[in-house]
Amino acid sequence: MAELGLREPVIFELSRPGRHAGTQFPPRVAGTAQVPAHLRRAAPPLLPAVSELQVVRHFTRLSQMNFSIDTHFYPLGSCTMKYNPKVCHTLASLPEFLGRHPLAPESQGQGFMACMYELQEMLKDITGMQGVSLTPMAGAQGEYAGVAMIRAYHRAHGDLARSEIIVPQAAHGTNPATATMCGCSVREIPCDANGDVDLDALRAAAGPQTAGIMLTNPSTLGVFERRIEEVARIVHDAGGLLYYDGANLNAILGKVRPGDMGFDVIHMNLHKTFSTPHGGGGPGSGAVGVGARLLPFLPIPLVGREGGRYRWLTEKDAPQSIGRLSGFAGNAGVNLRAYIYMRLLGREGMIRVAEYAALNANYLMKRLQAAGFEAAYPGRRASHEFIITLKRENRDHDVTAMDVAKRLLDYGFHAPTTYFPLLVPECLLIEPTETEAKEDLDRFCEAMSAIRHEMAHDPGKLSAAPHTMPVRRLDDVRAAKQLDLAWKPAA
Amino acid sequence: MAELGLREPVIFELSRPGRHAGTQFPPRVAGTAQVPAHLRRAAPPLLPAVSELQVVRHFTRLSQMNFSIDTHFYPLGSCTMKYNPKVCHTLASLPEFLGRHPLAPESQGQGFMACMYELQEMLKDITGMQGVSLTPMAGAQGEYAGVAMIRAYHRAHGDLARSEIIVPQAAHGTNPATATMCGCSVREIPCDANGDVDLDALRAAAGPQTAGIMLTNPSTLGVFERRIEEVARIVHDAGGLLYYDGANLNAILGKVRPGDMGFDVIHMNLHKTFSTPHGGGGPGSGAVGVGARLLPFLPIPLVGREGGRYRWLTEKDAPQSIGRLSGFAGNAGVNLRAYIYMRLLGREGMIRVAEYAALNANYLMKRLQAAGFEAAYPGRRASHEFIITLKRENRDHDVTAMDVAKRLLDYGFHAPTTYFPLLVPECLLIEPTETEAKEDLDRFCEAMSAIRHEMAHDPGKLSAAPHTMPVRRLDDVRAAKQLDLAWKPAA
Amino acid sequence: MPFIPHTPEDVAGMLATLGAASIDELFDEIPAGLKGARLAGVPPALSEMEVARLLAERAAQDGRPLCFLGAGAYEHHIPAPVWAIASRGEFYSAYTPYQAEASQGTLQLIYEYQSMMCGLTGMEVSNASLYDGASALAEACLMAVRANRGSNSRRVLMPRTVNPTYVQVARSIAANQNIAFEIVDFDRALGRTPVESLRAYGGEDFAALVVQQPNFFGNLEEVHELTDWAHQNNVLLIGVVNPISLALLSAPGQWGGRGADIVCGEGQPLGVPLASGGPYFGFMTTRMQYVRQMPGRIVGRTVDIEGRPGFTLTLQAREQHIRRSKATSNICTNQGLAVTAATVHLSLLGAQGLERVAQACLQRAHDLVDALCRVPGVKPAFGPPGFHEAVLTLDRPVAPVLAALAARGILGGLDLTERYPELGQALLVCATETKTDADIRAYAEALAAVQGEGLRAARGAA
Amino acid sequence: MPFIPHTPEDVAGMLATLGAASIDELFDEIPAGLKGARLAGVPPALSEMEVARLLAERAAQDGRPLCFLGAGAYEHHIPAPVWAIASRGEFYSAYTPYQAEASQGTLQLIYEYQSMMCGLTGMEVSNASLYDGASALAEACLMAVRANRGSNSRRVLMPRTVNPTYVQVARSIAANQNIAFEIVDFDRALGRTPVESLRAYGGEDFAALVVQQPNFFGNLEEVHELTDWAHQNNVLLIGVVNPISLALLSAPGQWGGRGADIVCGEGQPLGVPLASGGPYFGFMTTRMQYVRQMPGRIVGRTVDIEGRPGFTLTLQAREQHIRRSKATSNICTNQGLAVTAATVHLSLLGAQGLERVAQACLQRAHDLVDALCRVPGVKPAFGPPGFHEAVLTLDRPVAPVLAALAARGILGGLDLTERYPELGQALLVCATETKTDADIRAYAEALAAVQGEGLRAARGAA
Ligand SMILES: Cc1ncc(COP(=O)(O)O)c(C=O)c1O
Ligand SMILES: Cc1ncc(COP(=O)(O)O)c(C=O)c1O
C-alpha cells in the first residue's frame, strides 16, 4: 500500500449497489401516476451509488488538486485572474435571488431588475456606448451578438454584400470563429513589428464587402493600438463597423472608452474585468454595448424603466432585435455578481483597476527583462499584460515555453498563457492583474530566474516538469488518439 | 528559491503599512464623538495590514494543511469523528437565525425556540431522563453542571458532607478535573482486567462522604460496563448519585438509555453523537439531562411551552437552579445543528447509529487482530471503539504508539487517539464511527499491516515519521521550554 | 484601495524601477485626445456593509412566492453539499483547466460529469457543457448540419411542441448560417407530434429532426416512432431532454432502433438554482462517430510520463483557439461551475435518488392537475401530464387570473395564449417534488377564489 | 440509510468476519433487562428537503427586526470572507489539533489568533479561547485566586457596572470553590465605579478586582486609577473588555502603572453572528508570568526534526487530559470555529479597519442618544456614551414601550428596571456601525409615536 498521494479514484469506483445518500431523496409520494410502458426507461442510468460523506470527501479532495486564485498567483494572460470578492457570491446567493423563477412576473422582480438596469447604465457609461444588453452568456456569445448586429445593420440598410469580417492576426480565436459562426468570411490582416495593425494591409482589405473589423485594444499582444482613430476612419470610410473585443477591458477601465475610440459595438467579459468567478471554465457573461446605429438590434430581453418601475423589453419593444440568445435572460447570476463588484469599486475604484493592472504588468515586464528574458515588444508599454518570448532559450537550451510553464507549477505559480498569440514564437502571455502584491510579483521573478538557471544547469528538470503536482506531465497525444471520454465499468 | 511546499508565512509577515482590505471598513460617520484623551489608546494594536485576497489565500492555504472529516478517515477514539452533514450548517446559517439577538423578545423567537424545545424533548426521550438543559457549552461544562447539581441536591437535603466524587481510572481527564472545579475531592477506583469497574473497590470507596460517581458506559476502554445495575445500587445505597458522561452516546443510541441504567444525570456531547462540527477545537454543546430528583437544579435558561407558545424559563421559574453557565443560552447554533441532524436521522436513523458504529468498530478490531495487533480487551465486544495496545511491538521493535500514529498520517489516515486511556500501555483508541465505508476500514487495515511490516524491516520510517506532511515531527519539548506563543516583529 | 494591495512605498518603488514619474505615464501610448473617462454614471464606492444591505433590501422586494412555473426552469431540492462544494475557492476561482497538471480536480470532475451525462442519456460521448439548454439546441442544429454526411440540406424539422424560446434562440444563432427550420404541427387532442405529420416531408432532404421529450406541454412524444422515421429518411435525430425525467423515460440512446444521434438539453434541474434564469448549463451528448463535430470542451483520461492516470482537455483541434475560423463553434468559456454543481448533485442522488425525484415530479403533476381541474372552469388541455408539466384551459382570459394569484403569493404558471392561440385560454402549470399536498391545496383554493371572484365580478357587471 | 454507507453485502461480509448472526448480537454484553429504547419521542426521519422547508418556516417566524439591543452581544458587519473560510470543511470538520503535523492549518491559525489578541489587549500571552465572555470571567476569577501568590483570599471585588449576567455565571462557576464576590457600588451620576468606593476595602485581602471597560452601561471606567489601586493593595486586576473598543481605548496592558494582570471578554464582536447567543468565544490574555495558571489550550511555535518552523499545542501539563484533577480548568473542547472566524475578521480589518469600526460605533451611539433624547419623556441616565451603549430613562414603565416598539419591528434595547431598580425606568440602548442615520431616525420616530400613544392613552384614561 502506497503512502498518501493526492490521487483520488474516479467516483464510480467508490460506488456499491445499495449504497446511497438517502436524506437527499424526496419523500415517497402516494399515487398511481405512471409512464406508459413503451416509453419507460429499460435499465437505470450508470450513476455512482455513494454515501454523502463519500461525495463530500471525494470532491473536497479533488478541489485540493486545483490551482486557483484563492490559492495561487495565476498570471494567465488574456484571462484576468484577479480576486473574486467573496461577497459577490454571498449576496447573489440570497435565498430570494436564488429562488426567483425567470418567468416570474415583474412584480416579483423589481429588486433584481433594479440591479440589472443599473448595471446596464454603468456599462454604458464605462464603454461610452448608448445601449447595453446583458444576455450574452460569455465573451464568445457577446461577439456573436456583436457581429450579428453588424450584419443586421447592413441588411437593414439593404447592404447585403457586406459579409466579410477583418481580423488582425493577433486576435483571440473566438473572433474568427465567431465571424464564421455568423455566416461571415474572415480576412486576417497582419500586425507590424511593434504590434500595431498594419494600416496598409487594413486599407487593402477594407472595401464594399467589409461588414466590419473585430479588434481588441490593447491587443492580445499586450500593447495599445496607437493609431486606433486611423483604423476607425479606414473601416468606417469603407462602410464597415468596428467591433471591440472587450475581454481586456481591465486594461483601460476609466482611462479611455471604446465608444470614444470610434467603436460601434463592444462585448465585455464581465467574468474577467468585473471579477465574477471563472469556475473552472465558466460561467461568464458577455454583455454587449452599442452605439446609436446598432441600438435597435440589441439582443433581447433588456431591462427598461418607466415611471419608477422596471420592465422587460422584448420582441414587441425591439422588433429589429437580433433576437434571443438564451432561454431566459442570460447568466443573470453572473451579472448580479458583476453589479455587486461594481458597486464596491465605485467610480474611483474602477479607474484604479486599469492603473494598478498596468503598473503591475509594466513592473513585472521590466523585472523579467532585467532577469534576462526577452519581451516581445520591448519598445512598448505593457498594457495590463505583456509577452515574453523564449525563442532564444529555445534555440540555446532546447527548452520550450511549455517546459517553463510546467516548471512554474513546481514553484507554486500558475503558468502564464502559452503559445498565444500564435504569431509570437515560444511565448508566455503574462497578466498579473491589479490584485496581486508587489512581493508576489517579486517572488514570481525569483522563480523565473531560478528556472532560467536550471535551463543552463539542469535542463532535465524542465523537460520533465512538473515534479510536485498530483500527476507528472500528461500525454496529450495519447489522450486524443486513444479516446477515453467516459468511465466504463470493468467488463 | 525553493519549489512549492505547503509552507505558508505567518500572516504578520504579509503585512505592509498602508495595505488594507478597505471594502470591509464601514463608511466614515460624521460627528465629533471622542474618547477622553487619558483613556485613549496610545498606539495602534499589532494586527496585520493585508489585502482581502491575501487573507483569503492565506487562510485557504492554511486550511489545506489540515486533516478533517471532509478529507480523511479520522478514527480518533472518544471523539466520534463522523460526517457533519452540510445541511446543518446551511440551515443554521439562515439569515434570520444568524441575525437573532439573544435578548430579542420571545415574540421574535418562536421559530428558534420551537427547535430548542423539541430538541430538549428528544434528548429526554433518548436518555430516559425527565428534564434537559441545553446551556452547557461543551462536554466539560455539562459535567460541571452535572456535578454542581449533585452538590446542590445534597445541599438541599442538608447533606453537606458529601463532597467526594468517585471516578474510575479509565475516566476522561475532564471527569476528575470537573470534580475539582466543583470543589469536590476525587477518589479514583481501578478497573479489572476485563475493563469493568472493580466492584470491591467501589464498595470500599462509597460511603457517607460520597457525592456521586462519574461513569461513562461504554467506558473509554471501549467496553460496556456489564454490572452497571450493581454499580448503581452500590452508589445509590451509599446515598450518592450517578453521573453519566455521555460523550460516548454514539455507542448506545437507541440500544439502552442511561436513565434506565440508573443514572441520575447525564451530559451529552452533541458535537460528537449529534454530529455538529468540531471546528478544529469546538464549539461543542454539552446538554445535560436529569432524573426527577435533580429536575429543580437544572441550569437555566430552559425553553418551556405554555398554550402553544414557547417561553424562557429563568431564575424565577427555577429558584433552586444551579444558575447560569453562559452569557445567554449556551451554544445555540450548535444546538440548532444537532436539532437538524436529529430530524434528519429520525427514530430509525438514530437506532442505526449505534448499530453501525458498533459493527464498524468490532469489524475493524477483528481485522486488526487478524493482522497481528493485540486488542486490549480481546475477550470483549468492542463498543463504538476499541483499544489496540502496542506494548509487544514496543518491546520487540522499540516503536511507540506515537510512531505508528505519525506514520499513519503518511498513509492518509488521521491517527487514532494515543496514550489514552492512560492505564493501557502504548495504546491506540480507535473509533471508526458509522459513517465510514467498509472499504475505508479495509484500507486502514492495509496501512496498519504495512506499518507492521515496516516495524520489522524499516523501523527508521516509523521513528522519523511523518514524511509527507507540511512539517516533519515537531519538537514538543522545545515548544514548552522556549515558549513562542505570539508573533513578534523582528527587532 | 478596494482589492488593490499596493502601499505608497510599493508604488514609489515600482515606478522607480520603471523610471516613470507617475502611473498615468504608463498610459502615454493612448492618444491624448481619447484619454480620460469621467465615469459620471458610476456611483461612488460603497463599503461591503452598505452593498450587503442594499442587496438584502432588493432581494426582500422580490419575496419568495409559491412557484408553479416551469417552462424550462424547474424548482428542485438542491442538497446542501452541492453548493458547499461548488463554492470552494479551488473550484470557484479557477480558470478553464488549461494547465492540466495544476487542474486535476476540475478535469477529473468534468470527466466524471461526462460519464454521468453519457449514462443518463445512453450516449457515448459528452462535452463539458454549453451555455444553456436553448443555445445547446442551436449548437445541436449546427452540428447536425455538419455531421449529416448523407444530407446536403441546411433545413431542420422543428415541431411546435419544442420549447418556443429554444426555437427562437436556435433561429437567432443558426439563421446567420442560412439554416432554416421547418415547423411541424402537433396533434391538438394529444398535444404531441404525430409521426403522420412527418410523412408529408417524406422524400425531402433534411439535416435533422428535433424531438423534445417530455415536450413543452409536459406530454410524452412517441420517440421511438419519430426516431425511426428520421433514420429511415437519412435525417439525424436531435433529442431535447429533461435530465431528471430520464430516470423514468427511455434513454435517448435507446430511442427507436438506433437511438438518437445528438442529445441536448437544459442542465438546470441538476442542482442549479432558478436564480432568474442563469447561470444554467446546456449539456450535449452524441455518438462517438460524431465526436469531432461536437462543439465545446472535452476532457479525456490519459497517463502521465510515469504511467499514472490523469485527465486533460482533448480533441482541442475542434476548438476556436486552435482551429480559429474553422472551429466547430466559437464557444470558449462555458458553464464550469454549474457543471460542478450538477456533478455533485448527480453523485448524491445516484440512479435511485433520481428515480425517486422523477417519480415524485410525475405524481405531483398529476395531483396538481387533478386538484386544479376540480375548480369550476378549469380543464386539462390534453391527457394526463407526461412528466411534471401540463396545459390547462380556463374559461376566461389567463393573464388577470395569474395576476390575481401572484397578488396572493402564488406563481400560477405560464400564460400560453399568445404563443399557442389555437389552444385558447391556456396555462402551463408545473409541480415538482418540492410541492406538498398543502401547496397544491393552497393553489387550488386560491384559484377557486380567484375564479369565484371573477364570476361574481362578471355577475355584478351583468 | 441516512449517512451510513453500508450495503447489505457489506453488512453480511462484516458479520461473517465477526462470526455474528446479526448486528444486535454485538450488543449482547448489555444486560437484557436494560436493552431496548423505543424512542417514541423522536419523530420519524425527514428528508433534507423537508427539514430545509421546516427550518425556513421557523426562521421566517422570527423575522429580521431592526436591532438596538446590545448588552453583551453586538451586531456588526461580518465580511463575507470570514465565514466562507471558516465554513471550509478542513476547518469546520477537523478535531482539536492533537496530531500537530496533520493540523498545521488550525495550529498556525490559532498562533496567529493568539498574536492578535495579545496585540489588541497589550498582553504577553493568550490562550486559544474559552467558551464565552461570561465563563471567561469565571475562569479569570479562578485563575486570579490561583495566581495571586501575595494573597490568601478567595474573595474578588466585583463592581455592579460589570455585566450582571457575567456576575451570575462567575458565581455559578466559582461559588463551588468557595470563591466569594464583594459587590462594589457605582456612582449614580456618572455610571461608573469610583476609586473612592474601593478605598473602604483598603487593608482587606482580596485576590482580584474586576473592571469592565466600557462597562455594562456603556460608560468608561477610570481604568488607570482602578488598576493602580489594585496593585497598591496586592490585588490582581482582571479587565473585561470589548475587543472592538480596544481600537480606541487604552490597551489593558497599559492600564495604570503596571497594566492589567488578566484580560478577558466576549469575542463575539469579532466576526461572530448574533445567532441567539452562541457559539461565541471567550478570550483571555495575561502576563507571561501567569501562563502556567491559564486555563485552556495554548499553541506554540517550535521546529520539526529538520529545523523547519511548525506549530503545536503546548503547556499541556496545565490541562485536564494530563493533569486530571489538578488541572487549571476542566475545559477541553473550546470555540475553535469562532476563533477561526475572528482571526479572519481581524486580518481583514487590521488596526485601521478596527479603528474605523470603533469610531463609527462611538459616533452612532452618540447620534442615537441625541435622537432618542429629543423624544419627550426620554433622558440620558448618565453622560454621553463611552462606546456603543448608553442608559436612558423613560417617564413611564419600560416594558410596554419595548413591546410596542417590537410590534413595529424595532428591538429598542434592554429593560434595566429589575436589574438596576435604583436607576428607575431605565433602558440600555446600543448602536453599532451597522446603524444608519435612517435607522436611528426610524427608532426615534417609532419611540415618539409610542410615547405619544401612551400619552394619549393616559389622557384618554384620565
Ligand atoms: C481576447 C479575448 N476575446 C474573447 C474571449 C472569449 O471570451 P469567453 O471565453 O468568455 O467566450 C477571450 C477569453 O477567453 C479573450 O481573452
Ligand atoms: C469521554 C469524554 N468525556 C468528556 C469529554 C469532554 O467533552 P468536551 O471536550 O466537549 O468538553 C470528552 C471529549 O473530549 C470525552 O471523550
Side-chain angles (χ1 to χ4, degrees), chain A residues 78 138-140 143 172 174 220 245 247-248 269 271-272, chain C residues 95 332-333:
Chain A
S78 204
E143 294 176 29
H172 193 262
T174 49
T220 58
D245 176 343
N248 293 334
N269 276 13
H271 47 303
K272 295 181 179 175
Chain C
Y95 205 80
C332 177
T333 293

Side-chain angles (χ1 to χ4, degrees), chain C residues 56-79:
Chain C
E57 283 163 10
R58 296 251 165 105
Q61 265 187 285
D62 293 352
R64 297 225 56 186
L66 192 59
C67 177
F68 294 92
L69 264 167
Y74 302 99
E75 189 177 26
H76 288 288
H77 169 64
I78 302 177

Side-chain angles (χ1 to χ4, degrees), chain B residues 6-59:
Chain B
L6 273 170
R7 307 288 311 293
E8 181 66 18
V10 174
I11 193 159
F12 292 90
E13 297 172 281
L14 301 174
S15 176
R16 296 289 180 276
R19 185 173 287 166
H20 59 67
T23 44
Q24 301 305 344
F25 298 1
R28 283 181 204 285
V29 184
T32 57
Q34 275 221 337
V35 169
H38 70 293
L39 296 175
R40 222 176 284 156
R41 185 165 190 127
L46 184 66
L47 291 173
V50 286
S51 76
E52 187 166 318
L53 171 55
Q54 287 181 310
V55 171
V56 167
R57 195 176 282 168
H58 173 72
F59 289 106

